[in-house]
Amino acid sequence: MDELESRTRRIVESAVELAEEGGFEAVRMRDVAAHAGVALGTFYKRFKSKEDLLVAALEIELDKLAKKVAQKEFDGATRLERVTNFFDMATKGLTRKPNLARAILRAVASGDPDLTPKIAKFHGAMTAYISQALRGERFSDEPSQDVTKLEATVSFLMQQVWFAALVGWSSGLHSRKTVVEQMRVAAELLLRGMAEAQRDDG
Amino acid sequence: MDELESRTRRIVESAVELAEEGGFEAVRMRDVAAHAGVALGTFYKRFKSKEDLLVAALEIELDKLAKKVAQKEFDGATRLERVTNFFDMATKGLTRKPNLARAILRAVASGDPDLTPKIAKFHGAMTAYISQALRGERFSDEPSQDVTKLEATVSFLMQQVWFAALVGWSSGLHSRKTVVEQMRVAAELLLRGMAEAQRDDG
DNA sequence: CACTAAAGTGAAACATGTTTCACTTTGGCT
DNA sequence: AGCCAAAGTGAAACATGTTTCACTTTAGTG
């Protein structure tokens, strides 16, 4: 996450506030610009679109998760416990600001190719965190050096399930609690499968 | 899937054509209405929004998948093979019209609560298909009666992974081939985990 | 056939994301 | 201080999703 120049940060923070109050539609570009004290043209020199802005907000939220996670003791005796705890924390953190979370999810799922690099970065960071939770390492921005292919695969799949579960939550298909529960079940099955695969192949 | 009244069907078909040509943005409501030969007001009496329209298009695409799937011999000796084949077919079917698929995915992920019922229906149908592939049953719109909780869970999780993979494909994060490959790996791990869970619990 | 309610129409109006452009301000350099 | 390029500004214009509404057509009924 780059050091954000003050004007840019103000814009993103304005978007976060407006999104938290009224969701995606409440993030009106004119309002964001006014709230941040910049002209509309200035906004569009820094961000390609509304979605771009909200993905920038995601980077900020990820930073917050990173800080929270870095402080916390990373507890759990088993891989399953650690991973489940991690998703519990991440899910609660995100859904604490539900309207913001929904707005960001919508932006992420918009499929705009311009956003792909930022989204890939986010995926990478999340996958790294999951791997660290798996292994019980202290969280860090530095990815572990010796993550096995299997661990990486499982982490990636868990992240996919998490994303889909959040989108479902976002549409009102299920509750926050259900998201956490889904992650626990997914982790159980994937970790069992992983253990078996290790036994066979390695 | 209800029998669609002719005007409504024409509207959805127009949307499908426009979406396939130029993606989400090319589905302009004025154009859709003109193409379908109805007034804009008529359109808005039948659909709540652009997203609503595209989710209706999803229902049509699902019907097509259903027909394709019902014809085909459902081959594969193992659960893994059958499930992998199913996702291969479903993914190819969807991504054959990439712009349409992207447009639909965007609508589905919009998080609009008005769409939740239709989306839930789609999820239900997909999960049922996956269960049938798992068990090697001939595909049918009627859900199997005796799907175990574990089978239902695994089917649901695979569907989540599929959705997330498609969104990633939609953003250009990975190719169609990668989506299919991801499904194979996810199925391998989940089915192994499932087999273990069965051994333990039942 | 005459009537009525429901459906459709057409056009305008509105809301908001995005672009454009001529002008102004700012920050660093000599 | 004076200058220049980059950044910012403000306002208008544009594109397109959505709403509204007065009028017309259509289909079913007595």
Side-chain angles (χ1 to χ4, degrees):
Chain A
M1 241 55 44
D2 302 353
E3 194 63 32
L4 293 180
E5 185 261 353
S6 115
R7 216 174 291 252
T8 303
R9 177 167 45 244
R10 246 164 39 226
I11 292 172
V12 179
E13 282 167 359
S14 302
V16 166
E17 284 182 39
L18 292 173
E20 180 41 27
E21 284 165 30
F24 189 84
E25 324 104 49
V27 183
R28 290 181 211 93
M29 310 331 281
R30 290 165 178 81
D31 293 355
V32 170
H35 194 287
V38 303
L40 195 53
T42 302
F43 168 81
Y44 275 101
K45 280 209 177 105
R46 317 215 164 196
F47 298 95
K48 299 197 180 193
S49 66
K50 180 170 179 172
E51 282 77 21
D52 190 21
L53 171 60
L54 285 167
V55 171
L58 172 61
E59 298 195 346
I60 286 190
E61 292 299 304
L62 177 63
D63 272 355
K64 287 185 188 165
L65 174 65
K67 271 166 195 150
K68 199 174 299 179
V69 113
Q71 290 176 346
K72 217 161 192 143
E73 274 309 297
F74 208 25
D75 49 21
T78 65
R79 289 191 297 195
L80 177 59
E81 279 171 7
R82 289 191 299 270
V83 167
T84 302
N85 284 344
F86 172 73
F87 279 114
D88 185 78
M89 181 170 57
T91 304
K92 277 179 183 154
L94 246 193
T95 59
R96 187 158 295 133
K97 293 177 179 175
N99 291 333
L100 172 62
R102 271 186 271 266
I104 289 176
L105 282 169
R106 179 165 172 174
V108 168
S110 73
D112 184 340
D114 289 341
L115 310 182
T116 306
K118 284 182 183 169
I119 293 177
K121 195 172 158 189
F122 172 73
H123 279 192
M126 274 301 300
T127 303
Y129 286 146
I130 299 170
S131 295
Q132 289 164 11
L134 258 187
R135 312 170 125 230
E137 292 174 356
R138 177 163 286 283
F139 284 118
S140 135
D141 283 342
E142 310 306 321
S144 312
Q145 283 309 323
D146 47 354
V147 176
T148 67
K149 194 148 181 27
L150 191 55
E151 281 172 336
T153 298
V154 167
S155 302
F156 179 75
L157 286 174
M158 286 187 194
Q159 187 218 317
Q160 300 269 65
V161 174
W162 191 53
F163 174 75
L166 286 172
V167 171
W169 163 81
S170 171
S171 317
L173 234 41
H174 39 248
S175 67
R176 188 195 66 181
K177 200 174 156 191
T178 303
V179 171
V180 174
E181 175 67 9
Q182 275 175 35
M183 293 317 301
R184 194 182 56 70
V185 174
E188 273 179 22
L189 287 167
L190 288 172
L191 291 176
R192 273 182 155 155
M194 181 178 157
E196 275 235 334
Q198 274 176 331
R199 205 174 312 149
D200 294 0
D201 307 344
Chain B
M1 236 57 43
D2 301 353
E3 195 62 32
L4 292 180
E5 185 262 352
S6 114
R7 217 174 290 254
T8 303
R9 177 167 46 243
R10 246 163 42 225
I11 293 171
V12 179
E13 281 167 359
S14 302
V16 167
E17 283 182 39
L18 292 172
E20 180 41 28
E21 284 166 29
F24 188 85
E25 324 104 49
V27 184
R28 291 182 210 92
M29 309 336 278
R30 290 166 179 81
D31 293 355
V32 171
H35 194 287
V38 303
L40 195 53
T42 302
F43 168 82
Y44 275 101
K45 280 207 177 105
R46 319 221 163 187
F47 298 97
K48 297 198 182 195
S49 67
K50 180 171 179 172
E51 282 77 20
D52 190 21
L53 171 60
L54 286 167
V55 170
L58 171 62
E59 298 195 345
I60 286 189
E61 292 299 305
L62 177 63
D63 271 355
K64 288 185 188 165
L65 173 66
K67 272 166 196 152
K68 199 174 300 179
V69 113
Q71 290 176 346
K72 216 160 193 144
E73 275 308 298
F74 207 29
D75 49 22
T78 65
R79 289 191 298 196
L80 178 59
E81 280 171 6
R82 289 191 298 271
V83 167
T84 302
N85 284 344
F86 173 71
F87 280 114
D88 186 78
M89 179 171 57
T91 303
K92 278 179 183 154
L94 245 193
T95 59
R96 187 158 294 135
K97 293 177 178 174
N99 291 332
L100 172 62
R102 270 186 272 265
I104 289 177
L105 281 169
R106 178 163 172 176
V108 169
S110 72
D112 184 339
D114 288 341
L115 310 182
T116 305
K118 284 181 183 170
I119 294 176
K121 195 172 158 190
F122 172 72
H123 279 193
M126 274 300 301
T127 303
Y129 286 145
I130 300 170
S131 295
Q132 288 163 12
L134 258 187
R135 312 169 125 229
E137 294 174 356
R138 178 165 285 283
F139 283 118
S140 135
D141 282 342
E142 310 304 321
S144 312
Q145 282 311 323
D146 48 354
V147 175
T148 67
K149 194 145 179 29
L150 191 54
E151 281 171 335
T153 299
V154 168
S155 302
F156 179 74
L157 286 174
M158 287 187 194
Q159 187 217 318
Q160 300 269 66
V161 173
W162 191 51
F163 174 76
L166 286 172
V167 171
W169 163 80
S170 171
S171 315
L173 234 40
H174 41 249
S175 68
R176 188 196 67 181
K177 199 174 153 192
T178 304
V179 171
V180 174
E181 173 68 9
Q182 275 177 36
M183 292 318 301
R184 194 183 56 71
V185 174
E188 272 180 23
L189 287 167
L190 287 171
L191 290 175
R192 272 181 156 155
M194 182 177 156
E196 275 235 335
Q198 275 175 330
R199 204 174 313 147
D200 293 1
D201 306 343

